Amino acid sequence: AQSVAQPEDQVNVAEGNPLTVKCTYSVSGNPYLFWYVQYPNRGLQFLLKYITGDNLVKGSYGFEAEFNKSQTSFHLKKPSALVSDSALYFCAVRIGGATNKLIFGTGTLLAVQP
Amino acid sequence: GAGVSQSPSNKVTEKGKDVELRCDPISGHTALYWYRQSLGQGLEFLIYFQGNSAPDKSGLPSDRFSAERTGGSVSTLTIQRTQQEDSAVYLCASSWGGLNNEQFFGPGTRLTVL
């Protein structure tokens, strides 16, 4: 079965430090991977995606993600965290075939301390 | 507006009543999706529309759930004879045609079944 795993329920980081939010996937065929962020009482906002090409993908708000095929990972990173980055982050994989539905991970709460 | 809109933002209903949730996608987006977000189940796919057709309804949890889309635009998700386990945030998303495009999410409708 195709799936996404986010092994950490919460990540704590001090403002100004680099952050990593982990994501691993299991799909048949080529993966199409996405990161979304959800602020309290808000819908999901698209951050970035990997479809093909360069393994390092840059997205909104200074975030980037590295696609690693051998490790089946797509970790989200930012060189210097901001308090305003505190939110719930979801990794997702697009399922192939006739549907464009996304399968989401369980989410990781990022808490950036001032 | 420029984004996906959903109404109502909050809905409280009594067990056994029917509810309708509305989604207005981004203008020009041919694909529309419904997801459900709940504490116990995370983010779950419900149904996918391409135009007015629904090629993937696999996520609808029971025959009490139905959805339609008219004019390639507005979509309505209907839940009949609501149950307490239907309580969740219902999220709508839309995207351009083409399977690699990111989905843009609305703010959601929080449904509470008493």
Side-chain angles (χ1 to χ4, degrees):
Chain A
Q2 306 191 72
S3 63
V4 174
Q6 293 181 244
E8 302 155 316
D9 290 336
Q10 183 162 338
V11 170
N12 298 303
V13 64
E15 187 174 30
N17 283 0
L19 69 88
T20 299
V21 182
K22 296 179 180 177
C23 172
T24 58
Y25 64 90
S26 174
V27 300
S28 54
N30 293 322
Y32 298 115
L33 298 156
F34 301 81
W35 275 101
Y36 284 84
V37 59
Q38 186 175 36
Y39 297 99
N41 300 313
R42 302 272 299 275
L44 277 73
Q45 295 181 30
F46 169 75
L47 278 179
L48 50 80
K49 66 181 178 183
Y50 172 82
I51 303 299
T52 187
D54 290 341
N55 289 343
L56 186 63
V57 179
K58 295 187 181 297
S60 306
Y61 311 120
F63 284 93
E64 58 189 28
E66 187 169 10
F67 170 67
N68 188 317
K69 188 172 183 178
S70 63
Q71 297 185 5
T72 61
S73 67
F74 189 55
H75 301 331
L76 181 70
K77 300 180 180 182
K78 187 174 182 181
S80 179
L82 300 172
V83 172
S84 57
D85 292 330
S86 299
L88 188 58
Y89 290 80
F90 290 94
C91 182
V93 62
R94 182 185 76 76
I95 300 297
T99 184
N100 195 17
K101 71 181 180 184
L102 293 173
I103 301 297
F104 286 90
T106 50
T108 298
L109 183 63
L110 174 65
V112 182
Q113 285 87 36
Chain B
V4 177
S5 60
Q6 294 185 244
S7 61
S9 55
N10 282 284
K11 176 71 177 179
V12 180
T13 191
E14 294 180 347
K15 177 182 174 180
K17 300 283 189 182
D18 298 350
V19 296
E20 286 189 352
L21 312 179
R22 178 187 168 105
C23 172
D24 285 87
I26 292 172
S27 179
H29 280 187
T30 57
L32 185 147
Y33 321 78
W34 284 98
Y35 294 86
R36 179 168 73 172
Q37 185 174 24
S38 57
L39 283 176
Q41 301 298 322
L43 271 159
E44 305 172 274
F45 166 81
L46 297 178
I47 187 169
Y48 157 57
F49 286 93
Q50 182 60 43
N52 293 335
S53 300
D56 189 350
K57 306 178 184 179
S58 63
L60 295 178
S62 74
D63 58 8
R64 296 186 295 104
F65 287 72
S66 63
E68 65 175 11
R69 189 180 185 195
T70 55
S73 181
V74 172
S75 176
T76 302
L77 177 69
T78 301
I79 309 173
Q80 296 178 310
R81 305 182 302 281
T82 52
Q83 303 295 312
Q84 287 184 335
E85 62 263 28
D86 299 336
S87 295
V89 176
Y90 290 81
L91 295 168
C92 176
S94 69
S95 74
W96 297 108
L99 302 182
N100 299 333
N101 294 308
E102 58 270 27
Q103 299 174 21
F104 293 88
F105 283 78
T109 294
R110 181 176 298 277
L111 175 66
T112 303
V113 182
L114 301 176

